[in-house]
Amino acid sequence: MITLVIVSALLLTLAVGKPCASDHEALLLSFNKQLLQSVDTQETLPNPSVHIALRLSTHHNLAKESEHLNRIKAEFHDDIEKSLRNNELVVGHLALYILALKSSCHDLESVHLTHNEMKESLLIHLKKEMEEEKQNIAFGHRPKTNYYQYSLGILALCVSGVRVSTHVSQKLIHAVEHRQLKHGESLCVDSHAVAGMALQCLKDEGIAVKDNAELDRALATIKQRLLDSKRADGHMGNEFSTGLAVQALIAMGSQMEECGSAMEALRADLKKGTYHNPMAISQVLPALHQRTYLHLKSQECRNENDTLTLDADSPAEVLLSHRQVSLQVEVIKSSGASSVFSIHVPRGSSLFEALNLLQDKQTGFTFNTEDSLWGAFLSVVNEEQARQTDRRYWHISSDGTSLTQGIKDYKIDLAQKITIKNTGY
Ligand code: B12
């Protein structure tokens, strides 16, 4: 009995002393393999966020990681230049590209973007876009992209050792203070997490800000909001923001007591198989390794463990059930006009498959999507486009509850009513 008490006390001391410690090695390794498996597909654009997560892990497959980086430098790079030709801002994608190169210790100065027949280094171009976003905030009260990407931009510059203008950082600090980091209607946990890492980086690097006391206040506010977002089941925000929230808390120096239950929730998600989307895995894996994007500052790429291999067996084929479930789809256009469609779909279909079946029935329902790092973003419904440039999007809910996944990931298991509403934000 006495031995048991001593061992428990010892374990408790070890856990409390460690910053957000994690143990489940085997679980972590198989999650790591799942992400590595995803880079083998050539169907989608290589994802820099996936590369960062692979590089922040303990085990590596250096050959596959190097092949992946080469694809990012070719295909993702071209995609950024294509967006520039369309006069789009590329803050978020460029920041992730820079962080991915840093994660592989690649010389940033050797990579250039060609735009308007001019060659520019990635960091110079990012600095210019951040200045432009700063002006957009000054005149339009928000960035053209969003505060998640604005924060990623500051983070990428800071992690690369580039001075961030005090005016640029001030706009983020001000936005935090004035509760402007939103996802739709609610406070955005994901954006607070990235903002927290960006501002913490400025503090750690001693990069000048307008007012140090104000920076400290913003950091304390972010930390408090992240802690306040904790649900009874341990998640911070939802299943898909918890990884970033934990990363941010680790970066801000939190101890086990503050993120232990969130770590537990992530491990429970892993066991349940909550994460399939590579982008979701890439935002969770670093936290489980107790690593954060701030570790990229001192990434060395030496003496790495090169033992990560892929299992030979292919992923199990998903068989759709013969049982049908009935689905109602309500479309509410920007004018407020509503139309309702009904269909039966095989149980277990994704919402994307269900919408395709509905479209094929030619009952007047049509839709279109745009590609993003998270997958297919629903952009056009019944010939009406909800444009991000007009700050509108198709909000999706099921029986009145907002979906936490996109149309390709959300599965229809029960009869329900899906509402797709053209919404301003
Ligand atoms: C900003 C944001 C939005 C904005 C995007 C517009 C803008 N310019 O600001 C708005 C408000 C429109 C939005 C909408 C939605 N979002 Co959102 N969004 C984000 C956020 C905070 C940042 C995305 C970003 O800019 N990334 C940076 C750049 C570098 O990468 P990118 O991925 O290529 O960027 C584009 C896509 O992310 C796309 N996008 C945004 N949200 C979503 C959601 C899905 C499912 C898809 C496929 C694409 C997508 O918009 C970005 C800008 O063009 C992320 C947080 C996160 N952790 O990533 C959540 C996040 C991606 N969104 C999420 C969700 C659930 C949604 C909605 C499905 C909510 C709903 N119930 O309707 C809708 C999408 C519906 C649709 N039409 O398909 C989840 C996705 C989780 C998952 N497993 O798929 C996240 C992770 C938030 C969370 N923790 O719940 N979102």
Side-chain angles (χ1 to χ4, degrees), residues 92-93 96 145-146 148-149 152 183-184 188 190-191 238 240-241 244 277 279 283 372-378 388 393-396 402-406 409 425:
H93 281 200
L96 287 180
T145 59
N146 51 54
Y148 181 93
Q149 298 194 30
L152 267 183
H183 186 234
C188 183
D190 315 60
S191 304
N238 64 21
F240 302 100
S241 47
L244 288 176
N277 188 318
M279 188 63 167
Q283 296 188 349
S372 79
L373 295 180
W374 277 95
F377 181 83
L378 183 63
Q388 293 188 29
Y393 75 110
W394 289 104
H395 177 267
I396 315 168
S402 187
L403 294 197
T404 57
Q405 297 186 93
D409 292 334
Y425 66 91

Side-chain angles (χ1 to χ4, degrees), residues 108-298:
L108 287 176
E109 291 306 318
S110 68
V111 187
H112 293 88
L113 285 174
T114 306
H115 176 44
N116 291 338
E117 290 168 15
M118 260 172 38
K119 265 176 102 180
E120 236 168 18
S121 89
L122 303 183
L123 290 168
I124 299 271
H125 189 81
L126 181 57
K127 267 199 104 144
K128 283 192 183 159
E129 288 211 0
M130 292 304 288
E131 286 298 317
E132 195 175 331
E133 281 294 55
K134 183 197 77 188
Q135 297 292 64
N136 288 327
I137 300 172
F139 297 113
H141 304 290
R142 42 191 179 180
K144 210 175 213 168
T145 59
N146 51 54
Y147 279 112
Y148 181 93
Q149 298 194 30
Y150 192 74
S151 304
L152 267 183
I154 295 182
L155 183 65
L157 290 174
C158 175
V159 161
S160 309
V162 174
R163 201 184 68 80
V164 178
S165 113
T166 52
H167 300 286
V168 168
S169 52
Q170 184 56 31
K171 291 274 181 281
L172 181 58
I173 293 171
H174 183 272
V176 169
E177 278 172 355
H178 291 82
R179 307 178 79 85
Q180 283 163 359
L181 278 54
K182 299 250 183 85
H183 186 234
E185 285 295 291
S186 20
L187 225 53
C188 183
V189 171
D190 315 60
S191 304
H192 277 86
V194 183
M197 286 189 267
L199 296 179
Q200 186 67 44
C201 182
L202 298 182
K203 187 174 163 69
D204 294 348
E205 292 302 284
I207 295 180
V209 292
K210 203 171 137 241
D211 178 346
N212 281 319
E214 211 184 356
L215 172 65
D216 286 340
R217 270 202 306 279
L219 279 166
T221 302
I222 291 173
K223 188 168 172 182
Q224 197 51 52
R225 284 192 195 145
L226 292 177
L227 293 174
D228 289 348
S229 75
K230 196 181 283 180
R231 303 191 312 207
D233 65 2
H235 287 103
M236 291 181 164
N238 64 21
E239 288 81 341
F240 302 100
S241 47
T242 305
L244 288 176
V246 169
Q247 261 205 65
L249 287 176
I250 296 174
M252 293 192 235
S254 286
Q255 295 293 309
M256 182 68 179
E257 310 86 86
E258 281 175 328
C259 47
S261 57
M263 277 282 201
E264 270 315 313
L266 290 178
R267 283 190 213 114
D269 286 329
L270 249 60
K271 286 187 199 142
K272 268 191 278 173
T274 305
Y275 307 115
H276 299 283
N277 188 318
M279 188 63 167
I281 301 178
S282 78
Q283 296 188 349
V284 166
L285 192 60
L288 288 167
H289 277 110
Q290 300 161 60
R291 308 268 285 165
T292 85
Y293 294 151
L294 297 197
H295 285 107
L296 298 174
K297 269 188 302 191
S298 51

Side-chain angles (χ1 to χ4, degrees), residues 49-62:
S49 175
V50 167
H51 192 75
I52 299 166
L54 289 173
R55 297 293 308 145
L56 282 174
S57 298
T58 323
H59 294 84
H60 299 274
N61 183 320
L62 295 176

